[in-house]
């Protein structure tokens, strides 16, 4: 039997695992599914077609699964899907998707989402991501695994942030941020490779060396982007352990529709 506080309001149609904990005055709607070990804090509202995985910790006053803040949304049966082992702190707002994409806002697993974070409709947030206080994702933003988004950062709609990227405090992100890069400042600019993050994740010196070469080709060698892409492609095979990193960079650059932060 789920541990539900007497003051919580749970729709009978909601599906909660027997190990879920729900705090005082929380409200959970009929189309909500919550997996084993997840805790829902006091005064949290979870609504819409929302699926939440296992062992998440949702703190008080969060708003999960409300309709999108998109004026074209017309009540379509869209979804919010959240993975496992996420920490979602106070006053976060995580919205349903719209029919402009696949109709789903997706948040992966093992993410650390601090207070007042907003994840808008149709975002795709990967795994092991840190979003500091007041970070805001507009609609259709994609965030790669292990990215770090600094406090008070705003990310423009449709922007893609690559895996292992780091965005500094109060960033204004209007273009795509390639994987592995550290960006900050106003206007936003790429400063260096996120070496500290890569070391913490066990990247070898050889892999980091290739990533630094890619950074140099894009940002230091006065090449056009097409020239840099060709030169990055030529790195394949130079360090076999880094071939996946080269492929990740090439795939990201090929899909960068808004241009990249320079």
């Amino acid at each position: 039997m789920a541990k539900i506080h007497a003051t919580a309001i749970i729709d009978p149609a909601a599906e909660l695992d027997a190990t879920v904990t729900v705090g005082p005055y929380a409200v959970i709607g009929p189309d909500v599914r919550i997996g084993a070990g997840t805790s829902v804090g006091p005064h949290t509202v979870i609504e819409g077609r929302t699926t939440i995985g296992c062992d998440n910790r949702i703190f008080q006053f969060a708003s999960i699964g409300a309709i999108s803040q998109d004026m074209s949304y017309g009540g379509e049966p869209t979804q919010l899907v959240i993975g496992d082992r996420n920490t979602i702190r106070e006053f976060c707002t995580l919205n349903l998707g719209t029919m402009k994409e696949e109709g789903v806002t997706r948040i992966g697993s093992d993410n650390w989402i601090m207070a007042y974070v907003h994840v808008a409709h149709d975002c795709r947030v990967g795994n092991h991501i840190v979003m500091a206080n007041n970070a805001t994702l507009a609609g259709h933003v994609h965030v790669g695994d292990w990215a770090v988004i600094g406090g008070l950062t705003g990310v423009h709609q449709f922007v893609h942030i690559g895996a292992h990227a780091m965005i500094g405090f109060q960033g204004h992100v209007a273009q795509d941020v390639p994987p592995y890069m550290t960006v900050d400042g106003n206007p936003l600019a790429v400063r260096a490779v996120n070496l500290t993050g890569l070391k913490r994740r066990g990247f070898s010196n050889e892999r980091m060396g290739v990533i630094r070469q890619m950074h140099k080709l894009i940002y230091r060698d006065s090449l056009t982007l097409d020239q840099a892409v060709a030169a990055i492609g030529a790195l394949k095979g130079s360090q076999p352990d880094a071939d996946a990193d080269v492929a990740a960079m090439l795939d990201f650059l090929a899909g960068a529709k808004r241009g990249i932060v320079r």
Side-chain angles (χ1 to χ4, degrees):
M1 187 74 178
K3 299 177 182 178
I4 300 172
H5 192 274
T7 60
I9 301 173
I10 314 295
D11 192 283
E15 299 179 18
L16 277 59
D17 184 86
T19 59
V20 169
T21 301
V22 181
Y25 302 103
V27 179
I28 298 178
D31 297 315
V32 174
R33 300 176 181 177
I34 303 179
T38 289
S39 63
V40 178
H43 297 275
T44 290
V45 177
I46 306 178
E47 56 188 312
R49 290 171 174 81
T50 296
T51 301
I52 300 172
C54 300
D55 298 316
N56 295 282
R57 190 176 182 192
I58 302 170
F59 281 70
Q60 55 268 29
F61 301 105
S63 173
I64 312 294
I67 63 171
S68 68
Q69 299 178 65
D70 185 315
M71 295 176 68
S72 70
Y73 179 74
E76 297 85 357
T78 56
Q79 300 179 64
L80 169 65
V81 177
I82 299 173
D84 304 325
R85 298 176 301 279
N86 296 289
T87 296
I88 300 170
R89 294 300 304 246
E90 300 83 353
F91 300 100
C92 288
T93 53
L94 315 178
N95 290 170
L96 299 175
T98 69
M99 299 309 294
K100 291 180 178 179
E101 283 197 44
E102 60 176 332
V104 183
T105 302
R106 297 187 183 276
I107 298 174
S109 298
D110 300 297
N111 297 302
W112 188 259
I113 301 174
M114 298 187 199
Y116 293 93
V117 164
H118 176 63
V119 178
H121 59 90
D122 304 292
C123 287
R124 299 182 192 175
V125 177
N127 307 305
H128 302 284
I129 290 161
V130 175
M131 295 181 64
N133 301 67
N134 290 100
T136 297
L137 306 184
H140 309 277
V141 169
H142 294 189
V143 183
D145 295 347
W146 297 101
V148 176
I149 301 176
L152 294 169
T153 290
V155 184
H156 194 282
Q157 62 184 354
F158 295 103
V159 160
H160 290 190
I161 297 171
H164 303 280
M166 182 172 184
I167 300 170
F169 171 74
Q170 214 169 30
H172 172 203
V173 188
Q175 292 181 299
D176 294 349
V177 179
Y180 314 109
M181 301 298 137
T182 294
V183 301
D184 73 354
N186 186 12
L188 199 72
V190 170
R191 304 301 179 184
V193 173
N194 183 18
L195 291 178
T196 298
L198 299 181
K199 289 175 183 177
R200 288 174 178 171
R201 289 159 213 147
F203 277 58
S204 67
N205 289 332
E206 291 74 20
R207 286 182 71 185
M208 289 190 290
V210 171
I211 291 167
R212 293 178 76 173
Q213 284 182 271
M214 292 192 290
H215 168 265
K216 183 172 180 290
L217 290 166
I218 299 170
Y219 293 104
R220 295 290 183 265
D221 283 357
S222 301
L223 303 177
T224 67
L225 187 57
D226 287 343
Q227 291 170 333
V229 166
I232 289 169
L235 294 174
K236 200 165 185 178
S238 61
Q239 288 290 344
D241 287 349
D243 281 352
D245 303 307
V246 172
M249 181 64 79
L250 292 173
D251 288 346
F252 186 92
L253 295 176
K257 304 303 184 186
R258 295 187 57 83
I260 62 171
V261 174
R262 304 295 289 189

